[in-house]
Amino acid sequence: MNKNQKFLIGSIGALLTGIAIGLLVAPKNGKETRKLIKNKANDLGGNAKDTYEKSLEELSHLADKLKDGFLKNVSTAKDKANGLADNVSEKARSVVNNNV
């Protein structure tokens, strides 16, 4: 985990802690406060799940693009190698035929 990720996680943790403390000292009764905390936690969990699923979709799409590019490059290299092998073979036959 790099420095920026640690900072981001720490900042989010501090933000959530501040929100929780603010809710706990708010001038609402305990039942209302607990309900509010529960709703906020559910919203946060839903947002995190949505972000996670979106990230998985993007990663899957990127992996497909990388795979397609890799296969294209392999195909191109194979075609070039086959062409080179054909040229070498033709030149070898020419040399052998000229020496006979």
Side-chain angles (χ1 to χ4, degrees), residues 40-94:
K40 294 291 183 184
N42 287 337
D43 290 344
L44 183 61
N47 290 340
K49 182 179 177 185
D50 292 343
T51 301
Y52 173 75
E53 289 173 353
K54 183 179 177 184
S55 296
L56 282 180
E57 289 176 21
E58 290 175 3
L59 285 173
S60 176
H61 179 68
L62 179 60
D64 289 341
K65 285 177 69 174
L66 288 172
K67 179 183 173 186
D68 291 343
F70 176 76
L71 292 176
K72 182 179 177 183
N73 287 338
V74 167
S75 178
T76 301
K78 183 179 177 182
D79 292 343
K80 287 181 180 181
N82 285 336
L84 182 59
D86 290 342
N87 287 340
V88 169
S89 178
E90 287 176 23
K91 287 183 182 182
R93 283 189 197 121
S94 175

Side-chain angles (χ1 to χ4, degrees), residues 21-37:
I21 291 171
L23 290 173
L24 292 174
V25 297
K28 294 184 180 182
N29 67 33
K31 186 176 182 179
E32 289 177 17
T33 302
R34 286 189 298 276
K35 184 176 179 180
L36 183 60
I37 291 171

